[in-house]
């Protein structure tokens, strides 16, 4: 099960947010798990909320002023609701002073208490994005994941069909490698899939007949990418000469493949001797970008033919 400990949240965001661990050190091993989203009444991170609590509560200037405005009895009741069983950490932002009663309550309940000089909306955004990546629903696919013309493209196909050789040619044309062989895919938002490379395979591309290549060493730092959003799947298929005659040369209806319940546009490219697959992949990416802008070349061609036929019939 995917999870993130309070200690890892602090370590991974300490430099960016200027975090300081003030109290509740015993709570460092408490965790947030990926299935927390199945409980709609408990969110992961947000500004102080007494009705729908968050696992990580953020106290900014407004929240701190609210607590200061309460009488002692009201404040104790508010703290009782705030520092509940679901809470794993409190972050006091904007450089606000931490009141002694909050520090004491966090130490009693073993709830980590952090401070940050950053504004509270910035802290919420950074931690929320961090958790969405760490706790994202994930899967793995076999293929080569590339950054082609600033677009995340996953090349799939049968073993030994030439995926790695195609990837090597695309890299030599200025595109970038994300992952070879095993691609880790994460759904970081309801309609966004991010592809990453397992740590053990990072920078490496295996090409039959040559061996394992370190792409970063051979082509330089710009030839590799740490991650990329998956936008297009290019599937390679081995076609004989006879099979080419049966292909639909005017594919009016786009095809998609579901990846973690997100539909991803899919293009199938036949593999045969003499075909420049690198050029075809780049052309497929450019055509996909045009489609995203509402420009469909196939449909334009069909409409032009229809107009010519209509003119001839008159």
């Amino acid at each position: 099960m995917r999870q993130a400990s309070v200690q890892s949240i602090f370590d991974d965001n300490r430099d960016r947010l200027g975090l300081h661990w003030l109290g509740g050190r015993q709570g460092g091993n408490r965790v947030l798990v990926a299935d927390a989203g199945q409980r709609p009444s408990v969110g992961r991170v947000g500004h102080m909320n007494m009705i729908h609590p968050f696992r990580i509560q953020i106290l900014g200037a407004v929240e701190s002023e609210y607590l200061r405005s309460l009488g002692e009895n009201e404040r104790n009741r508010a703290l009782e609701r705030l520092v509940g069983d679901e809470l794993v950490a409190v972050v006091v932002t904007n450089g606000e002073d931490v009141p002694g009663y909050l520090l004491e309550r966090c130490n009693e309940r073993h709830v980590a208490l952090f401070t940050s000089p950053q504004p509270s909306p910035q802290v919420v955004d950074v931690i929320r994005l961090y958790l969405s990546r760490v706790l994202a629903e994930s899967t793995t696919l076999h293929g080569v994941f590339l950054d082609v013309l600033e677009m995340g493209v996953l090349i799939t196909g049968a073993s030994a069909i030439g995926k790695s050789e195609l990837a090597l040619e695309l890299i030599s044309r200025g595109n970038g490698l994300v992952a070879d062989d095993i691609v880790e895919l994460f759904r970081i938002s309801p309609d966004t899939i991010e592809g990453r490379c397992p740590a053990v395979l990072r920078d490496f591309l295996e090409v039959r007949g040559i061996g394992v290549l370190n792409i970063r060493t051979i082509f330089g730092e710009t030839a590799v990418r740490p991650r990329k959003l998956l936008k297009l799947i290019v599937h390679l298929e081995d076609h004989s000469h006879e099979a080419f005659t049966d292909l639909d040369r005017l594919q009016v209806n786009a095809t998609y493949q579901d990846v973690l319940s997100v539909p991803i546009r899919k293009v199938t490219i036949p593999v045969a001797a003499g075909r420049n697959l690198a050029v075809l992949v780049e052309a497929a990416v450019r055509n996909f970008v045009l489609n995203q802008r509402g420009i469909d070349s196939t449909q334009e061609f069909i409409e032009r033919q229809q107009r010519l036929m209509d003119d001839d019939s008159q």
Side-chain angles (χ1 to χ4, degrees), residues 2-3 12 15 18 22 38 45 55 72 82 127 135 170 183-184 193 233 272 300:
R2 299 173 305 281
Q3 62 183 29
D12 294 341
D15 294 337
L22 191 62
Q38 297 176 1
V45 57
R55 304 296 307 281
E72 183 176 356
L82 175 67
I127 297 180
L135 303 179
L170 285 167
V183 183
E184 296 178 336
I193 302 296
I233 297 175
E300 288 182 1

Side-chain angles (χ1 to χ4, degrees), residues 3 16 37 69 99 126 210 251 263 275 287:
Q3 62 183 29
R16 184 172 183 180
S69 69
V126 170
I210 299 179
Q251 290 185 345
R275 307 199 85 198
N287 189 57

Side-chain angles (χ1 to χ4, degrees), residues 9 13 16-17 44-45 121-136 186-189 192 194 196 227 229:
I9 294 171
N13 296 280
R16 184 172 183 180
L17 296 177
R44 287 176 181 167
V45 57
Q122 168 75 2
V123 175
V124 170
D125 289 344
V126 170
I127 297 180
R128 183 173 293 165
L129 180 60
Y130 169 80
L131 291 177
S132 71
R133 294 183 183 278
V134 172
L135 303 179
F186 299 82
R187 190 174 71 173
I188 60 175
S189 77
T192 304
E194 182 179 81
R196 310 172 199 167
R227 61 180 62 88
L229 299 183

Side-chain angles (χ1 to χ4, degrees), residues 99-306:
Y101 57 79
L102 179 59
L103 176 59
E104 181 181 354
R105 186 61 62 94
C106 288
N107 284 328
E108 289 176 357
R109 296 293 185 88
H110 302 318
V111 173
L113 177 60
F114 305 146
T115 61
S116 171
Q118 298 292 331
S120 59
Q122 168 75 2
V123 175
V124 170
D125 289 344
V126 170
I127 297 180
R128 183 173 293 165
L129 180 60
Y130 169 80
L131 291 177
S132 71
R133 294 183 183 278
V134 172
L135 303 179
E137 183 181 359
S138 64
T139 187
T140 59
L141 288 178
H142 175 68
V144 185
F145 192 41
L146 298 162
D147 174 5
V148 180
L149 303 176
E150 304 300 323
M151 186 78 64
V153 179
L154 176 63
I155 300 175
T156 63
S159 179
I161 200 170
K163 298 185 295 295
S164 296
E165 290 84 350
L166 172 57
L168 186 61
E169 184 172 357
L170 285 167
I171 293 169
S172 69
R173 294 168 65 93
N175 301 293
L177 173 70
V178 180
D180 176 41
D181 193 36
I182 298 297
V183 183
E184 296 178 336
L185 299 170
F186 299 82
R187 190 174 71 173
I188 60 175
S189 77
D191 58 353
T192 304
I193 302 296
E194 182 179 81
R196 310 172 199 167
C197 181
V200 69
L201 301 177
R202 197 165 297 152
D203 300 339
F204 293 118
L205 177 71
E206 190 265 332
V207 181
R208 283 178 173 81
I210 299 179
V212 178
L213 304 177
N214 189 317
I215 297 301
R216 187 187 298 272
T217 302
I218 296 175
F219 293 95
E221 295 288 334
T222 59
V224 294
R225 312 283 191 272
R227 61 180 62 88
K228 200 70 182 177
L229 299 183
L230 175 61
K231 295 296 184 180
L232 182 66
I233 297 175
V234 175
H235 183 68
L236 304 181
E237 281 191 356
D238 188 10
H239 280 257
S240 63
H241 177 74
E242 293 78 10
F244 268 98
T245 61
D246 298 329
L247 289 177
D248 181 8
R249 299 175 66 181
L250 293 178
Q251 290 185 345
V252 179
N253 297 321
T255 59
Y256 294 86
Q257 178 176 328
D258 276 352
V259 178
L260 295 173
S261 300
V262 177
I264 303 297
R265 180 71 178 271
K266 182 177 181 179
V267 176
T268 299
I269 297 180
V271 176
R275 307 199 85 198
N276 192 327
L277 295 180
V279 172
L280 293 177
V281 170
E282 289 184 347
V285 171
R286 294 181 188 275
N287 189 57
F288 173 74
V289 172
L290 290 177
N291 291 162
Q292 295 296 101
R293 297 174 180 174
I295 302 173
D296 190 333
S297 301
T298 301
Q299 192 62 41
E300 288 182 1
F301 176 74
I302 293 174
E303 291 174 356
R304 180 182 299 177
Q305 294 290 326
Q306 186 62 48

Side-chain angles (χ1 to χ4, degrees), residues 27-54:
N29 59 351
R30 301 182 70 178
V31 297
L32 280 78
V33 295
D35 62 355
Q38 297 176 1
R39 303 183 59 185
S41 61
V42 180
R44 287 176 181 167
V45 57
H47 289 90
M48 185 178 69
N49 191 323
M50 303 296 186
I51 299 174
H52 298 289
F54 295 101

Side-chain angles (χ1 to χ4, degrees), residues 14 17-20 92-96 115-120 123:
R14 174 172 48 190
L17 296 177
L19 295 177
H20 174 66
V92 179
T93 62
N94 297 84
E96 292 284 330
T115 61
S116 171
Q118 298 292 331
S120 59
V123 175

Side-chain angles (χ1 to χ4, degrees), residues 62-81:
V62 175
E63 292 77 17
S64 297
E65 180 61 30
Y66 168 74
L67 290 177
R68 286 193 292 265
S69 69
L70 298 177
E72 183 176 356
N73 292 334
E74 290 180 328
R75 187 177 64 219
N76 289 335
R77 287 194 294 270
L79 286 178
E80 191 66 28
R81 295 196 300 272

